[in-house]
Amino acid sequence: MMIDPLSVFILLLGAATPILFAALGELVVERAGVLNLGVEGMMIGGALAGFSAAHASGSPALGFLAAAVAGAALSMIFAVLTQFLLSNQVATGLALTLFGLGLTAMFGKPYEGVKAPPMPAGPLQLNLMIWLGLALVPAVWWFLMRSRPGLILRAVGENHDAAHALGYPVRALRIAAIGFGGALAGMGGAYISIATVLQWTEGMTAGAGWIALAIVVFAQWNPWGVLAGAWLFGGVTVLQLRLQAAGVAVPVQLLSMAPYLATILVLVLISARQKFGRSGGAAAPGSLGRPFHALR
Amino acid sequence: MTDVFRAEGLGKSYPGVRANDDVSFAVAGGEIHALLGENGAGKSTLVKMIYGLVRPDEGRMALLGAPYAPHDPRAARAAGVAMVFQHFSLFEALTVAENIALGMEDPPPRAELARRIEELSQGYGLPLNPARRIASLSAGERQRVEILRCLLQDPRLLIMDEPTSVLTPQEAGILFATLRQLAEAGTAILYISHKLEEIRSHCDRATILRQGRLVGTVDPRAHSARELAAMMVGAEMRLVDRSGRKPGAPVLEVRGLSTPGGEGVALKDIALSLRAGEILGIGGVAGNGQEELLSALSGETATAPGTVVLEGRDLSTASPETRRRAGLLAAPEDRLGHAAVPEFSLAENTLLTAGARQELIRRGLIDRKAATAFAQQVIHAFDVRTPGPGTAAGALSGGNLQKFVIGREVLGRPRVLVVNQPTWGVDAGAAAAIRQALLDLAAQGAGLIVISQDLDELLELSDRFCALNQGRLSAPRPTEGLTIEEIGLMLGGAHGMEVAHVPA
């Protein structure tokens, strides 16, 4: 049995989309100097909110809107705890993931076994969410690297004390970034329930949020790198399913491991390059994960 | 001369501290006006109020005759006030142009901004490439970025917070030429420093603060450095006593000491010979290998056999603890986190380096009584102001903790003591006490290596002087008769800076 490259690529685009959304959102959050490990929790929250809204209204578009609102709302819990109460970002992010998983398991019960409304196809047989995800890559790049608000956001993430001394609103910018990251994570989660699986299952994001977090590091905080990382994961996922279907005699576990092994390899290469002083590109934002407290 | 800036009766309180009280002064257009005071005298609070980072509790400010009350730094910049910070407020991962754009209210498009940066930087003799990342620039170049960021806004009042602390004397000379040029164009410059000679030779007037209050505004040229210091401190400065030292036999030999750079600066073929009773001063601009040299001597970094020899014993590969037992002690620059654990009590902190030499640890167990007694001894001998040995190190003021950290090593009866920046960020009284303790230690026959960026301190303490420049140590020269200009050349001159030429 042959594996048709074009059909694999089309499936790859779909498989990459949830991770692409979530990772682009997290990239903006981390560029602002905040490490939100709650991506998985916000994705699953978006998956349930989007699915229930799409089911109730019959409109996938309304579903994605509801997912964005739900993801942003969950991220605001994180924002209040870390930006105002100065809680530890790692612990708070982990708590957010656990909270999201538990909350959706409880409220998702009535939706089990229900079917989602069909997702309309867009240009080239690809739905509009895939196109939106692809458009977000240059948009986020342009915002960060070319626009003034993006420059200020990077400055806040790089050195929050200096940004504060120049009079930029560190906390407000970070809250906005966290909200944006939450909305994109929610939409990414909803893509899984509305466009991929077409139903609600408890814990259905199955680690996509963690993969998104890894991809941000893998991408060295660059939107184009995020696209490459999402395609790598999407590609290996699709390929592995195809190979399994084709009955190739490679253990499934090995194939499933491949994207994670690739990430570890890239991370090792990156830090080796930095250690031997040849880092030309951007490394982690200087203030990433550090709490900011303005003395007035 | 007309006043560009005027402050009347400014006051600011923090919980438990009166940072500023009834401060009034004026800065005129065309003058370089010094703001002088010890650490904690209220200089920073005062300039933060002028730059809109802190709001005054009482008093008024006026800029160009109009009432001035900025609610944030952007409002201050919009009104024509610019500031160069003591700790650089630059973004390492961003380019020069991006950093400058962040400091402007309404930056022009990228290409236009890059062109203006090049134009202005050439005009003031401060060459800079707008596309370079800050991380790749030297301290002097970073400061140029800060200054250009201010100049592009065409400020009426320019505030400089201790700008020369990271510069060689030659680089400082270029800075002052630039400032003079700006002043002649009508800009008012408020210059914060505690370097008295610098203020005497370059500033037109000086406003002196002490404990948050105004002492007065004087002509610095009409007073000696001693008189200015007395106004700053409120008492006559104690002169240090250099007598009673006789260089004896060599105690420490360092030969062919090299380290790989890694994250820091690589040391390159360092050689020095230290005699008993001698103080060797090592000067240099920050980041030229000072920390690395201290680590190599203290034992944090092991080096090739035969490179560090104490009284005939090769300690090059020995651990810090072995070196301490042998009598080679060290006090690093960073008080909190390197020399002391902030959360530990003073008694517990004595264990870090004095455990073996003072027999505070026996058969693997801590003798708490002995540790407390030793901490008490340090507190008493070095006049450390603290409730007692049970106080956490982090609760002490910088000067008091520094006295404690130096005292812990001095009382360890070292054969050789290596200190880095012994009086950094310490008020004048405590600094004098620390310097005297180091001189006394040498008089008792120990060899000392004092690494410092404060050239006046090195000239005051040391018998011989070497310069550390990009990991290389110059040949030592007797301090007697050495001038600041000669030292500046030893420190690497102006690092490729040009002297300002007059702009068109």
Side-chain angles (χ1 to χ4, degrees), chain B residues 132-143:
Chain B
R132 274 181 72 183
R133 279 174 195 275
I134 299 298
S136 68
L137 301 182
S138 73
E141 287 172 316
R142 286 172 193 220
Q143 191 175 53

Side-chain angles (χ1 to χ4, degrees), chain B residues 118-156:
Chain B
E118 278 185 340
E119 228 175 67
L120 197 67
S121 70
Q122 293 301 332
Y124 279 99
L126 306 167
L128 264 182
N129 176 357
R132 274 181 72 183
R133 279 174 195 275
I134 299 298
S136 68
L137 301 182
S138 73
E141 287 172 316
R142 286 172 193 220
Q143 191 175 53
R144 286 182 227 171
V145 180
E146 292 253 16
I147 294 170
L148 281 177
R149 177 152 84 179
C150 292
L151 296 187
L152 276 164
Q153 299 170 69
D154 224 350
R156 302 308 310 268

Side-chain angles (χ1 to χ4, degrees), chain A residues 146 148 154-155 159 166-168, chain B residues 77 98 101-102 104 107 110:
Chain A
R146 287 290 176 267
R148 181 157 175 87
R154 282 189 290 142
N159 183 345
L166 286 172
Y168 293 112
Chain B
R77 284 202 297 273
E98 286 175 332
L102 280 165
M104 299 175 75
R110 289 153 51 88

Side-chain angles (χ1 to χ4, degrees), chain A residues 25 32 52 78 104 172 192 230 247 291:
Chain A
S52 61
F78 177 86
T104 52
I192 301 176

Side-chain angles (χ1 to χ4, degrees), chain B residues 333 335 398-407 421-423 426 434:
Chain B
E333 171 184 5
R335 297 185 273 270
N400 273 316
L401 184 58
Q402 187 69 17
K403 284 197 274 186
F404 183 83
V405 167
I406 299 276
Q421 297 273 68
T423 60
V426 166
I434 289 171

Side-chain angles (χ1 to χ4, degrees), chain B residues 68-291:
Chain B
Y68 169 68
H71 50 83
D72 66 7
R74 299 166 84 165
R77 284 202 297 273
V81 177
M83 177 156 170
V84 174
F85 292 88
Q86 178 182 9
H87 302 291
F88 297 139
S89 60
L90 295 175
F91 304 94
E92 294 251 326
L94 308 185
T95 65
V96 170
E98 286 175 332
N99 269 279
I100 287 175
L102 280 165
M104 299 175 75
E105 277 319 300
D106 194 15
R110 289 153 51 88
E112 161 78 10
L113 181 63
R115 197 183 54 73
R116 279 184 56 191
I117 291 169
E118 278 185 340
E119 228 175 67
L120 197 67
S121 70
Q122 293 301 332
Y124 279 99
L126 306 167
L128 264 182
N129 176 357
R132 274 181 72 183
R133 279 174 195 275
I134 299 298
S136 68
L137 301 182
S138 73
E141 287 172 316
R142 286 172 193 220
Q143 191 175 53
R144 286 182 227 171
V145 180
E146 292 253 16
I147 294 170
L148 281 177
R149 177 152 84 179
C150 292
L151 296 187
L152 276 164
Q153 299 170 69
D154 224 350
R156 302 308 310 268
L157 174 65
L158 176 62
I159 306 171
M160 312 267 318
D161 192 359
E162 306 213 0
T164 56
S165 52
V166 293
L167 303 183
T168 64
Q170 276 78 1
E171 286 173 328
I174 293 167
L175 172 68
F176 279 109
T178 306
L179 291 184
R180 189 48 74 188
Q181 210 178 319
L182 270 175
E184 270 157 21
T187 312
I189 294 164
L190 184 59
Y191 187 89
I192 301 158
S193 181
H194 59 245
K195 292 190 180 173
L196 300 170
E197 285 304 335
E198 189 177 281
I199 284 171
R200 288 189 62 239
S201 43
H202 295 291
C203 297
D204 303 306
R205 287 196 294 169
T207 291
I208 301 167
L209 291 182
R210 182 167 75 229
Q211 290 171 359
R213 289 166 181 275
L214 186 73
V215 176
T217 299
V218 300
D219 176 358
R221 285 164 192 152
H223 295 269
S224 71
R226 273 180 72 75
E227 286 166 344
L228 290 175
M231 285 188 244
M232 238 164 87
V233 181
E236 279 290 303
M237 292 285 289
R238 197 154 56 112
L239 271 185
V240 296
D241 174 15
R242 287 181 59 134
S243 64
R245 279 189 292 146
K246 291 186 291 289
V251 280
L252 182 74
E253 292 284 345
V254 176
R255 282 183 297 259
L257 177 81
S258 300
T259 58
E263 305 246 311
V265 177
L267 296 177
K268 297 172 195 108
D269 198 20
I270 302 247
L272 63 87
S273 172
L274 183 71
R275 298 164 69 174
E278 182 193 41
I279 298 184
L280 177 68
I282 296 182
V285 177
N288 272 292
Q290 286 95 335
E291 274 182 55

